[in-house]
Coordinates of all heavy atoms in Angstrom, one line a residue:
M164 N -0.4 10.8 -10.9 CA -0.9 10.3 -9.6 C 0.2 10.2 -8.6 O 1.3 9.7 -8.9 CB -1.5 8.9 -9.9 CG -1.9 8.1 -8.7 SD -3.4 8.8 -8.0 CE -3.5 7.9 -6.5
Q165 N 0.0 10.6 -7.4 CA 0.9 10.5 -6.3 C 0.5 9.4 -5.4 O -0.7 9.1 -5.3 CB 1.0 11.8 -5.5 CG 1.8 12.9 -6.2 CD 2.2 14.0 -5.2 OE1 1.4 14.4 -4.4 NE2 3.4 14.4 -5.3
F166 N 1.5 8.8 -4.7 CA 1.4 7.8 -3.8 C 2.0 8.3 -2.5 O 3.0 9.0 -2.5 CB 2.0 6.5 -4.2 CG 1.5 6.0 -5.6 CD1 2.1 6.5 -6.7 CD2 0.5 5.1 -5.6 CE1 1.6 6.0 -8.0 CE2 0.0 4.7 -6.8 CZ 0.5 5.1 -8.0
S167 N 1.4 7.8 -1.3 CA 2.0 8.2 0.0 C 2.7 6.9 0.5 O 2.1 5.8 0.4 CB 0.9 8.6 0.9 OG 1.5 9.0 2.1
V168 N 3.9 7.0 0.9 CA 4.7 5.9 1.3 C 5.4 6.1 2.7 O 5.7 7.2 3.1 CB 5.8 5.5 0.3 CG1 5.1 5.2 -1.0 CG2 6.8 6.6 0.2
R169 N 5.6 4.9 3.4 CA 6.4 4.9 4.5 C 7.2 3.6 4.4 O 6.7 2.5 4.1 CB 5.6 4.8 5.8 CG 6.5 4.7 7.1 CD 5.8 4.8 8.4 NE 5.2 6.1 8.6 CZ 5.9 7.2 9.0 NH1 7.2 7.1 9.2 NH2 5.3 8.3 9.2
I170 N 8.6 3.7 4.6 CA 9.5 2.6 4.4 C 10.1 2.3 5.8 O 10.6 3.2 6.4 CB 10.5 2.9 3.4 CG1 9.9 3.2 2.0 CG2 11.5 1.7 3.2 CD1 10.8 3.9 1.1
T171 N 10.1 1.0 6.2 CA 10.7 0.6 7.4 C 11.5 -0.7 7.2 O 11.2 -1.4 6.2 CB 9.7 0.5 8.6 OG1 8.7 -0.5 8.2 CG2 9.0 1.8 8.9
E172 N 12.3 -1.0 8.1 CA 13.0 -2.3 8.1 C 12.3 -3.2 9.2 O 12.1 -2.7 10.3 CB 14.5 -2.1 8.5 CG 15.3 -1.4 7.4 CD 15.3 -2.1 6.0 OE1 15.4 -3.3 6.0 OE2 15.1 -1.4 5.0
Y173 N 12.0 -4.4 8.8 CA 11.3 -5.3 9.7 C 12.0 -6.7 9.6 O 12.0 -7.3 8.5 CB 9.8 -5.4 9.4 CG 9.1 -6.4 10.3 CD1 8.8 -6.1 11.6 CD2 8.7 -7.7 9.8 CE1 8.1 -7.0 12.4 CE2 8.1 -8.6 10.6 CZ 7.8 -8.2 11.9 OH 7.1 -9.1 12.7
Q174 N 12.7 -7.1 10.6 CA 13.4 -8.4 10.6 C 14.3 -8.6 9.4 O 14.2 -9.6 8.6 CB 12.4 -9.6 10.7 CG 11.7 -9.6 12.0 CD 10.7 -10.7 12.2 OE1 10.5 -11.5 11.3 NE2 10.1 -10.8 13.4
K175 N 15.1 -7.6 9.1 CA 16.0 -7.5 8.0 C 15.3 -7.5 6.6 O 15.9 -7.9 5.6 CB 17.0 -8.7 8.1 CG 17.9 -8.6 9.3 CD 18.9 -9.7 9.3 CE 19.7 -9.6 10.6 NZ 20.7 -10.6 10.7
N176 N 14.1 -7.1 6.6 CA 13.3 -7.0 5.3 C 12.9 -5.6 5.2 O 12.6 -4.9 6.2 CB 12.1 -7.9 5.3 CG 12.5 -9.4 5.2 OD1 13.1 -9.8 4.3 ND2 12.2 -10.1 6.3
T177 N 12.8 -5.1 3.9 CA 12.2 -3.8 3.7 C 10.7 -3.9 3.6 O 10.1 -4.6 2.8 CB 12.8 -3.2 2.3 OG1 14.2 -3.1 2.4 CG2 12.2 -1.8 2.1
M178 N 10.0 -3.1 4.5 CA 8.6 -3.1 4.5 C 8.1 -1.8 4.0 O 8.5 -0.7 4.4 CB 8.0 -3.3 5.9 CG 6.5 -3.4 6.0 SD 5.9 -4.0 7.5 CE 5.8 -2.5 8.5
L179 N 7.2 -1.9 3.0 CA 6.7 -0.7 2.3 C 5.2 -0.6 2.6 O 4.4 -1.5 2.4 CB 6.9 -0.8 0.8 CG 6.2 0.3 -0.1 CD1 6.7 1.6 0.2 CD2 6.3 -0.1 -1.5
N180 N 4.8 0.5 3.2 CA 3.3 0.8 3.4 C 3.1 1.9 2.3 O 3.7 3.0 2.3 CB 3.1 1.4 4.8 CG 3.4 0.4 5.8 OD1 3.3 -0.8 5.6 ND2 4.0 0.9 6.9
I181 N 2.1 1.6 1.4 CA 1.9 2.5 0.3 C 0.4 2.6 0.0 O -0.3 1.6 0.1 CB 2.6 2.1 -1.0 CG1 2.4 3.1 -2.1 CG2 2.3 0.7 -1.3 CD1 3.3 2.8 -3.3
C182 N -0.1 3.9 -0.2 CA -1.5 4.1 -0.5 C -1.7 5.2 -1.6 O -0.7 6.0 -1.8 CB -2.3 4.4 0.7 SG -2.0 6.0 1.4
D183 N -2.8 5.2 -2.2 CA -3.2 6.3 -3.0 C -3.1 7.6 -2.2 O -3.7 7.6 -1.1 CB -4.6 6.2 -3.6 CG -4.7 5.0 -4.6 OD1 -3.8 4.2 -4.7 OD2 -5.9 4.9 -5.1
A184 N -2.5 8.6 -2.6 CA -2.3 9.8 -1.8 C -3.6 10.4 -1.3 O -3.7 10.9 -0.2 CB -1.5 10.9 -2.6
D185 N -4.6 10.3 -2.1 CA -5.9 11.0 -1.7 C -6.7 10.2 -0.6 O -7.6 10.7 -0.1 CB -6.8 11.1 -2.9 CG -7.2 9.9 -3.6 OD1 -6.5 8.8 -3.4 OD2 -8.2 9.9 -4.4
L186 N -6.2 9.0 -0.3 CA -6.8 8.2 0.8 C -6.1 8.5 2.2 O -6.7 8.2 3.2 CB -6.7 6.7 0.5 CG -7.5 6.2 -0.6 CD1 -7.2 4.7 -0.9 CD2 -9.0 6.5 -0.4
L187 N -5.0 9.2 2.2 CA -4.2 9.4 3.4 C -5.1 10.2 4.4 O -5.7 11.2 4.1 CB -3.0 10.2 3.1 CG -2.0 10.3 4.2 CD1 -1.5 8.9 4.6 CD2 -0.8 11.2 3.8
G188 N -5.2 9.7 5.6 CA -6.0 10.4 6.7 C -7.4 9.9 6.7 O -8.2 10.4 7.6
K189 N -7.9 9.1 5.8 CA -9.3 8.6 5.8 C -9.5 7.4 6.7 O -8.6 6.7 7.0 CB -9.7 8.3 4.4 CG -9.6 9.5 3.4 CD -10.6 9.4 2.3 CE -10.4 10.5 1.3 NZ -11.3 11.5 1.4
K190 N -10.7 7.3 7.1 CA -11.1 6.1 7.9 C -12.2 5.4 7.1 O -13.2 6.0 6.6 CB -11.7 6.6 9.2 CG -12.1 5.4 10.1 CD -12.8 5.9 11.4 CE -11.8 6.5 12.3 NZ -12.4 6.8 13.7
I191 N -12.0 4.1 6.9 CA -12.9 3.3 6.1 C -13.6 2.3 7.1 O -13.0 1.6 7.9 CB -12.1 2.4 5.1 CG1 -11.4 3.4 4.1 CG2 -13.1 1.6 4.3 CD1 -10.4 2.7 3.3
I192 N -14.9 2.3 7.0 CA -15.7 1.5 8.0 C -16.7 0.6 7.2 O -17.4 1.1 6.3 CB -16.5 2.4 8.9 CG1 -15.6 3.3 9.7 CG2 -17.4 1.5 9.8 CD1 -16.3 4.3 10.5
Q193 N -16.7 -0.7 7.5 CA -17.6 -1.6 6.9 C -18.0 -2.6 8.0 O -17.2 -3.3 8.5 CB -17.1 -2.3 5.7 CG -18.0 -3.3 5.1 CD -17.5 -3.9 3.8 OE1 -16.9 -3.2 3.0 NE2 -17.6 -5.2 3.7
D194 N -19.3 -2.6 8.4 CA -19.8 -3.5 9.5 C -19.0 -3.2 10.7 O -18.9 -2.1 11.2 CB -19.8 -4.9 9.0 CG -20.6 -5.2 7.8 OD1 -21.7 -4.5 7.7 OD2 -20.2 -6.0 6.9
E195 N -18.3 -4.3 11.3 CA -17.6 -4.1 12.5 C -16.1 -3.8 12.2 O -15.3 -3.7 13.2 CB -17.6 -5.5 13.3 CG -19.1 -5.8 13.7 CD -19.7 -4.8 14.7 OE1 -19.0 -4.4 15.6 OE2 -20.8 -4.4 14.5
L196 N -15.7 -3.7 11.0 CA -14.3 -3.5 10.6 C -14.0 -2.0 10.3 O -14.8 -1.3 9.6 CB -14.0 -4.3 9.4 CG -12.5 -4.2 8.8 CD1 -11.6 -4.7 9.9 CD2 -12.4 -5.0 7.6
T197 N -13.0 -1.5 11.0 CA -12.6 -0.1 10.7 C -11.1 -0.1 10.4 O -10.3 -0.7 11.0 CB -12.7 0.8 12.0 OG1 -14.1 0.8 12.4 CG2 -12.3 2.2 11.8
M198 N -10.8 0.6 9.3 CA -9.4 0.7 8.8 C -9.0 2.2 8.7 O -9.7 3.0 8.0 CB -9.2 0.0 7.5 CG -7.9 0.0 6.9 SD -7.8 -0.9 5.4 CE -6.2 -0.6 4.9
N199 N -8.0 2.6 9.5 CA -7.5 4.0 9.4 C -6.3 4.0 8.5 O -5.3 3.3 8.7 CB -7.0 4.4 10.8 CG -8.2 4.6 11.8 OD1 -9.2 5.3 11.4 ND2 -8.1 4.0 12.9
I200 N -6.4 4.8 7.5 CA -5.3 5.0 6.6 C -4.5 6.3 7.1 O -4.6 7.4 6.6 CB -5.8 5.2 5.1 CG1 -6.6 4.0 4.8 CG2 -4.6 5.3 4.2 CD1 -7.4 4.2 3.5
S201 N -3.7 6.0 8.2 CA -3.1 7.1 8.9 C -1.8 7.6 8.4 O -1.1 6.9 7.7 CB -2.9 6.6 10.4 OG -1.9 5.7 10.4
E202 N -1.5 8.9 8.7 CA -0.2 9.4 8.3 C 0.9 8.7 9.0 O 2.0 8.6 8.5 CB -0.2 10.9 8.6 CG -1.1 11.7 7.6 CD -0.9 13.2 7.8 OE1 0.2 13.7 8.1 OE2 -1.9 13.9 7.6
G203 N 0.7 8.3 10.2 CA 1.7 7.6 11.0 C 2.1 6.3 10.3 O 3.2 5.8 10.5
Y204 N 1.2 5.6 9.6 CA 1.5 4.3 9.0 C 1.9 4.5 7.5 O 2.7 3.8 7.0 CB 0.3 3.4 9.1 CG 0.6 2.0 8.9 CD1 1.3 1.2 9.9 CD2 0.3 1.3 7.8 CE1 1.6 -0.1 9.7 CE2 0.5 0.0 7.5 CZ 1.2 -0.7 8.5 OH 1.5 -2.0 8.3
Y205 N 1.2 5.4 6.8 CA 1.4 5.5 5.3 C 2.0 6.8 4.9 O 2.3 7.0 3.7 CB 0.0 5.3 4.6 CG -0.6 4.0 4.7 CD1 -1.5 3.6 5.6 CD2 -0.2 3.0 3.8 CE1 -2.1 2.4 5.7 CE2 -0.7 1.7 3.8 CZ -1.7 1.4 4.8 OH -2.2 0.2 4.8
G206 N 2.2 7.8 5.8 CA 2.5 9.1 5.4 C 3.9 9.7 5.6 O 4.0 10.9 5.9
E207 N 4.9 8.9 5.3 CA 6.2 9.5 5.5 C 6.5 10.6 4.4 O 7.1 11.6 4.7 CB 7.3 8.4 5.4 CG 8.7 8.8 5.7 CD 9.6 7.6 5.7 OE1 9.6 6.8 4.8 OE2 10.3 7.4 6.8
R208 N 6.2 10.2 3.2 CA 6.4 11.2 2.0 C 5.6 10.8 0.8 O 5.1 9.7 0.8 CB 7.9 11.2 1.7 CG 8.5 9.9 1.1 CD 10.0 10.0 1.0 NE 10.5 8.7 0.7 CZ 10.9 8.3 -0.5 NH1 10.7 9.1 -1.6 NH2 11.4 7.2 -0.7
F209 N 5.5 11.7 -0.1 CA 4.8 11.5 -1.4 C 5.7 11.1 -2.5 O 6.8 11.7 -2.5 CB 3.9 12.7 -1.8 CG 2.8 13.0 -0.8 CD1 2.9 14.0 0.1 CD2 1.7 12.2 -0.8 CE1 1.8 14.3 1.0 CE2 0.6 12.4 0.1 CZ 0.7 13.5 1.0
V210 N 5.4 10.2 -3.3 CA 6.2 9.8 -4.5 C 5.4 9.8 -5.8 O 4.2 9.6 -5.7 CB 7.0 8.5 -4.3 CG1 7.9 8.5 -3.1 CG2 6.0 7.3 -4.1
E211 N 6.0 9.9 -6.9 CA 5.4 9.8 -8.2 C 5.4 8.3 -8.6 O 6.1 7.5 -8.0 CB 6.1 10.7 -9.2 CG 6.0 12.2 -8.9 CD 4.6 12.7 -8.9 OE1 3.7 12.2 -9.6 OE2 4.4 13.7 -8.1
R212 N 4.8 8.0 -9.7 CA 4.6 6.6 -10.2 C 5.9 5.9 -10.4 O 6.1 4.8 -10.0 CB 3.8 6.6 -11.5 CG 3.6 5.3 -12.0 CD 2.8 5.3 -13.4 NE 2.7 4.0 -13.9 CZ 1.6 3.2 -13.8 NH1 0.6 3.7 -13.2 NH2 1.6 2.0 -14.3
D213 N 6.9 6.5 -11.0 CA 8.2 5.9 -11.2 C 8.9 5.4 -9.9 O 9.4 4.3 -9.9 CB 9.2 6.8 -12.0 CG 8.7 7.0 -13.4 OD1 7.9 6.3 -13.9 OD2 9.3 7.9 -14.1
E214 N 8.9 6.3 -8.9 CA 9.5 5.9 -7.7 C 8.7 4.8 -7.0 O 9.2 3.9 -6.4 CB 9.7 7.1 -6.8 CG 10.5 6.7 -5.5 CD 10.9 7.9 -4.7 OE1 10.6 9.1 -5.1 OE2 11.4 7.7 -3.6
A215 N 7.3 4.9 -7.1 CA 6.5 3.9 -6.5 C 6.7 2.5 -7.1 O 6.8 1.5 -6.4 CB 5.0 4.3 -6.7
E216 N 6.9 2.5 -8.4 CA 7.3 1.2 -9.1 C 8.5 0.6 -8.5 O 8.6 -0.6 -8.2 CB 7.4 1.4 -10.6 CG 6.2 1.6 -11.3 CD 6.4 1.8 -12.8 OE1 7.5 1.5 -13.3 OE2 5.4 2.2 -13.5
D217 N 9.6 1.4 -8.4 CA 10.9 1.0 -7.8 C 10.7 0.4 -6.4 O 11.2 -0.6 -6.1 CB 11.9 2.1 -7.8 CG 12.4 2.4 -9.2 OD1 12.2 1.6 -10.2 OD2 13.0 3.5 -9.4
L218 N 10.0 1.2 -5.6 CA 9.7 0.7 -4.2 C 9.0 -0.6 -4.2 O 9.3 -1.5 -3.4 CB 9.0 1.8 -3.4 CG 9.8 3.1 -3.2 CD1 8.9 4.2 -2.6 CD2 10.9 2.8 -2.2
L219 N 7.9 -0.7 -5.0 CA 7.2 -2.0 -5.0 C 8.0 -3.1 -5.5 O 7.9 -4.2 -4.9 CB 6.0 -1.8 -6.0 CG 4.8 -1.0 -5.4 CD1 3.9 -0.6 -6.6 CD2 4.1 -1.7 -4.4
K220 N 8.9 -2.9 -6.4 CA 9.8 -4.0 -6.9 C 10.8 -4.4 -5.9 O 11.2 -5.6 -5.9 CB 10.5 -3.5 -8.2 CG 9.6 -3.4 -9.4 CD 10.4 -2.9 -10.6 CE 9.5 -2.6 -11.8 NZ 10.2 -2.0 -12.9
N221 N 11.3 -3.5 -5.1 CA 12.4 -3.7 -4.2 C 12.0 -3.9 -2.7 O 12.9 -4.0 -1.9 CB 13.4 -2.6 -4.3 CG 14.0 -2.6 -5.7 OD1 14.5 -3.6 -6.2 ND2 13.9 -1.4 -6.4
S222 N 10.8 -4.1 -2.4 CA 10.4 -4.3 -1.0 C 10.0 -5.7 -0.8 O 9.4 -6.4 -1.7 CB 9.2 -3.3 -0.7 OG 9.6 -2.0 -0.8
S223 N 10.2 -6.2 0.4 CA 9.9 -7.6 0.7 C 8.5 -7.8 1.3 O 7.8 -8.8 1.1 CB 10.9 -8.2 1.7 OG 12.2 -8.0 1.3
I224 N 8.0 -6.8 2.0 CA 6.7 -6.8 2.7 C 6.0 -5.6 2.2 O 6.5 -4.5 2.4 CB 6.8 -6.9 4.2 CG1 7.6 -8.1 4.6 CG2 5.4 -7.0 4.8 CD1 8.0 -8.1 6.1
I225 N 4.8 -5.7 1.7 CA 4.1 -4.5 1.1 C 2.7 -4.5 1.6 O 1.9 -5.5 1.4 CB 4.1 -4.5 -0.4 CG1 5.5 -4.7 -0.9 CG2 3.6 -3.2 -0.9 CD1 5.6 -5.0 -2.4
N226 N 2.3 -3.4 2.3 CA 0.9 -3.2 2.7 C 0.4 -2.1 1.7 O 0.9 -1.0 1.7 CB 0.8 -2.7 4.1 CG 1.4 -3.7 5.1 OD1 0.8 -4.7 5.2 ND2 2.4 -3.4 5.8
M227 N -0.7 -2.4 1.0 CA -1.2 -1.5 -0.1 C -2.6 -1.2 0.1 O -3.4 -2.1 0.5 CB -1.0 -2.1 -1.5 CG 0.4 -2.4 -1.8 SD 0.4 -3.4 -3.4 CE 0.8 -5.0 -2.8
V228 N -3.0 0.1 -0.1 CA -4.4 0.5 -0.1 C -4.7 1.5 -1.3 O -3.9 2.4 -1.5 CB -4.8 1.2 1.2 CG1 -6.2 1.6 1.2 CG2 -4.4 0.4 2.4
G229 N -5.8 1.2 -2.0 CA -6.2 2.1 -3.0 C -6.2 1.5 -4.4 O -5.4 0.6 -4.7
K230 N -7.1 2.0 -5.2 CA -7.3 1.4 -6.6 C -6.0 1.6 -7.4 O -5.6 0.7 -8.1 CB -8.5 2.1 -7.3 CG -9.8 1.7 -6.6 CD -11.0 2.4 -7.2 CE -12.2 2.0 -6.5 NZ -13.4 2.8 -6.9
E231 N -5.4 2.8 -7.4 CA -4.2 3.1 -8.2 C -3.0 2.3 -7.7 O -2.3 1.7 -8.5 CB -3.9 4.6 -8.2 CG -5.0 5.5 -8.8 CD -5.2 5.2 -10.3 OE1 -4.2 4.9 -11.0 OE2 -6.3 5.3 -10.8
T232 N -2.8 2.2 -6.4 CA -1.7 1.5 -5.9 C -1.8 0.0 -6.2 O -0.8 -0.6 -6.7 CB -1.7 1.7 -4.3 OG1 -1.5 3.1 -4.0 CG2 -0.5 0.9 -3.7
I233 N -2.9 -0.6 -6.0 CA -3.1 -2.0 -6.3 C -3.0 -2.3 -7.8 O -2.4 -3.3 -8.2 CB -4.3 -2.5 -5.6 CG1 -4.0 -2.5 -4.1 CG2 -4.7 -4.0 -6.1 CD1 -5.2 -2.9 -3.2
S234 N -3.6 -1.4 -8.6 CA -3.5 -1.6 -10.0 C -2.1 -1.6 -10.5 O -1.7 -2.4 -11.3 CB -4.3 -0.5 -10.7 OG -4.2 -0.6 -12.1
L235 N -1.3 -0.7 -10.0 CA 0.1 -0.6 -10.3 C 0.8 -1.9 -9.9 O 1.6 -2.4 -10.7 CB 0.8 0.6 -9.7 CG 2.3 0.8 -9.9 CD1 2.6 0.9 -11.4 CD2 2.8 2.0 -9.1
S236 N 0.6 -2.3 -8.7 CA 1.3 -3.5 -8.2 C 0.9 -4.8 -9.1 O 1.8 -5.6 -9.4 CB 1.0 -3.8 -6.8 OG -0.3 -4.2 -6.6
I237 N -0.3 -4.9 -9.4 CA -0.7 -6.0 -10.2 C -0.1 -5.9 -11.6 O 0.3 -6.9 -12.2 CB -2.3 -6.2 -10.2 CG1 -2.7 -6.6 -8.9 CG2 -2.7 -7.2 -11.3 CD1 -4.2 -6.6 -8.6
D238 N -0.1 -4.7 -12.2 CA 0.6 -4.5 -13.5 C 2.0 -4.9 -13.5 O 2.6 -5.4 -14.5 CB 0.5 -3.1 -14.0 CG -0.9 -2.6 -14.4 OD1 -1.8 -3.5 -14.5 OD2 -1.2 -1.4 -14.5
L239 N 2.7 -4.8 -12.3 CA 4.1 -5.1 -12.2 C 4.3 -6.6 -11.8 O 5.4 -7.1 -11.7 CB 4.7 -4.3 -11.1 CG 4.9 -2.8 -11.3 CD1 5.3 -2.1 -10.1 CD2 5.8 -2.5 -12.5
G240 N 3.2 -7.3 -11.7 CA 3.3 -8.7 -11.3 C 3.5 -9.0 -9.8 O 3.9 -10.1 -9.4
I241 N 3.2 -8.0 -9.0 CA 3.4 -8.1 -7.6 C 2.0 -8.2 -7.0 O 1.1 -7.4 -7.1 CB 4.0 -6.8 -7.0 CG1 5.4 -6.6 -7.6 CG2 4.1 -6.9 -5.5 CD1 6.0 -5.3 -7.4
G242 N 1.7 -9.4 -6.4 CA 0.4 -9.7 -5.8 C -0.5 -10.2 -6.9 O -0.2 -10.3 -8.1
S243 N -1.7 -10.5 -6.5 CA -2.7 -11.1 -7.4 C -4.1 -10.5 -7.1 O -4.4 -10.2 -5.9 CB -2.7 -12.6 -7.2 OG -3.9 -13.2 -7.7
E244 N -4.9 -10.4 -8.1 CA -6.3 -9.9 -7.9 C -7.0 -10.8 -6.9 O -7.9 -10.3 -6.2 CB -7.0 -9.8 -9.2 CG -6.5 -8.6 -10.0 CD -7.3 -8.4 -11.3 OE1 -8.6 -8.5 -11.2 OE2 -6.8 -8.0 -12.3
N245 N -6.7 -12.1 -6.9 CA -7.3 -13.0 -5.9 C -7.1 -12.6 -4.5 O -7.9 -13.0 -3.6 CB -6.9 -14.4 -6.2 CG -7.3 -14.9 -7.5 OD1 -8.3 -14.5 -8.1 ND2 -6.6 -15.9 -8.1
G246 N -6.0 -12.0 -4.2 CA -5.7 -11.6 -2.8 C -6.2 -10.3 -2.4 O -6.1 -9.9 -1.2
V247 N -6.8 -9.5 -3.3 CA -7.3 -8.2 -3.0 C -8.6 -8.3 -2.1 O -9.5 -9.1 -2.5 CB -7.6 -7.4 -4.2 CG1 -8.2 -6.0 -3.9 CG2 -6.3 -7.2 -5.0
K248 N -8.7 -7.6 -1.1 CA -9.9 -7.5 -0.2 C -10.5 -6.1 -0.4 O -9.7 -5.1 -0.6 CB -9.6 -7.8 1.2 CG -8.9 -9.1 1.5 CD -9.8 -10.2 1.0 CE -9.2 -11.6 1.3 NZ -9.7 -12.6 0.4
I249 N -11.8 -6.0 -0.3 CA -12.5 -4.7 -0.4 C -13.2 -4.3 0.9 O -13.9 -5.1 1.4 CB -13.5 -4.7 -1.6 CG1 -12.9 -5.3 -2.9 CG2 -14.2 -3.4 -1.8 CD1 -11.9 -4.3 -3.6
I250 N -12.9 -3.1 1.3 CA -13.6 -2.6 2.5 C -14.3 -1.3 2.0 O -13.6 -0.3 1.6 CB -12.7 -2.3 3.7 CG1 -12.0 -3.5 4.1 CG2 -13.5 -1.7 4.8 CD1 -10.9 -3.3 5.2
S251 N -15.6 -1.2 2.1 CA -16.4 0.0 1.7 C -15.9 0.5 0.3 O -15.7 1.7 0.1 CB -16.3 1.1 2.7 OG -16.9 0.7 3.9
G252 N -15.6 -0.4 -0.6 CA -15.3 0.0 -2.0 C -13.8 0.3 -2.2 O -13.4 0.6 -3.3
I253 N -13.0 0.2 -1.1 CA -11.6 0.5 -1.2 C -10.8 -0.8 -1.1 O -10.9 -1.5 -0.1 CB -11.1 1.5 0.0 CG1 -12.0 2.7 0.0 CG2 -9.6 1.8 -0.1 CD1 -11.8 3.6 -1.1
P254 N -10.0 -1.1 -2.2 CA -9.2 -2.3 -2.1 C -7.9 -2.2 -1.3 O -7.3 -1.1 -1.2 CB -8.8 -2.5 -3.6 CG -8.8 -1.1 -4.2 CD -9.8 -0.3 -3.4
F255 N -7.6 -3.3 -0.7 CA -6.3 -3.4 0.0 C -5.7 -4.8 -0.2 O -6.4 -5.7 -0.5 CB -6.4 -3.1 1.5 CG -7.0 -4.1 2.4 CD1 -6.3 -5.0 3.1 CD2 -8.4 -4.2 2.5 CE1 -6.9 -6.0 3.9 CE2 -9.0 -5.2 3.3 CZ -8.2 -6.1 3.9
L256 N -4.4 -4.8 -0.1 CA -3.6 -6.0 -0.4 C -2.3 -6.0 0.4 O -1.7 -5.0 0.5 CB -3.3 -6.1 -1.9 CG -2.4 -7.2 -2.4 CD1 -3.2 -8.6 -2.3 CD2 -2.1 -7.0 -3.9
I257 N -2.0 -7.2 0.9 CA -0.7 -7.4 1.6 C 0.1 -8.4 0.9 O -0.5 -9.5 0.6 CB -0.9 -7.8 3.1 CG1 -1.7 -6.7 3.8 CG2 0.4 -8.1 3.8 CD1 -2.1 -7.1 5.2
V258 N 1.3 -8.2 0.6 CA 2.2 -9.1 -0.1 C 3.5 -9.4 0.7 O 4.1 -8.4 1.2 CB 2.6 -8.5 -1.5 CG1 3.6 -9.4 -2.2 CG2 1.3 -8.4 -2.4
F259 N 3.8 -10.6 0.8 CA 5.1 -11.1 1.4 C 5.9 -11.8 0.3 O 5.4 -12.8 -0.2 CB 4.9 -12.1 2.6 CG 4.1 -11.5 3.7 CD1 2.8 -11.5 3.8 CD2 4.8 -10.9 4.7 CE1 2.1 -11.0 4.9 CE2 4.2 -10.3 5.8 CZ 2.8 -10.4 5.9
K260 N 7.0 -11.2 -0.1 CA 7.8 -11.8 -1.1 C 8.8 -12.8 -0.5 O 9.4 -12.5 0.5 CB 8.6 -10.8 -1.9 CG 7.8 -9.8 -2.7 CD 8.7 -8.9 -3.4 CE 7.9 -7.8 -4.1 NZ 8.8 -6.8 -4.7
M261 N 8.9 -14.0 -1.0 CA 9.8 -15.0 -0.5 C 11.1 -15.0 -1.3 O 11.2 -14.7 -2.4 CB 9.2 -16.3 -0.6 CG 8.0 -16.5 0.3 SD 8.4 -16.1 2.0 CE 7.3 -17.2 2.8

């Protein structure tokens, strides 16, 4: 499984935007809510599971989209299933590490 990632620095914190690679470029719509999983936000490069794990462990702010991405983060103890939101069947989660 590949993941699509973009890494930026935000107020001296590492911010990771990560999604399941097959979601990149998709638009998710539910009622009045639209979520674009854009290359500009999530698409800097593709990584394999091992590198995705390292990035998830070492980032302070994480924006995640997709079943595989969120499953991996929860397996690593990053985030909680209680925080996961679903839009048209696609899970997303935002984590701020203190």
Side-chain angles (χ1 to χ4, degrees):
M164 174 71 190
Q165 282 195 319
F166 302 88
S167 183
V168 301
R169 177 173 294 281
I170 303 162
T171 56
E172 293 298 317
Y173 178 75
Q174 297 182 353
K175 298 184 182 181
N176 292 296
T177 300
M178 185 167 85
L179 172 65
N180 301 324
I181 182 170
C182 71
D183 296 4
D185 62 342
L186 293 175
L187 192 63
K189 298 210 186 258
K190 182 185 286 190
I191 301 167
I192 301 170
Q193 181 175 315
D194 302 322
E195 299 296 316
L196 181 63
T197 300
M198 182 174 172
N199 290 308
I200 305 172
S201 68
E202 288 188 32
Y204 197 76
Y205 291 97
E207 184 174 57
R208 64 189 172 98
F209 294 105
V210 299
E211 297 296 330
R212 182 183 175 97
D213 290 346
E214 187 173 356
E216 286 182 13
D217 288 340
L218 291 169
L219 286 164
K220 289 176 185 175
N221 295 306
S222 298
S223 305
I224 304 167
I225 310 167
N226 297 297
M227 299 173 254
V228 180
K230 293 176 184 173
E231 295 296 325
T232 300
I233 291 175
S234 176
L235 176 59
S236 71
I237 290 172
D238 288 348
L239 293 171
I241 300 166
S243 163
E244 287 187 36
N245 292 336
V247 176
K248 302 298 179 205
I249 307 291
I250 300 175
S251 291
I253 306 295
F255 75 96
L256 177 64
I257 299 173
V258 171
F259 296 90
K260 294 181 187 173
M261 299 300 215

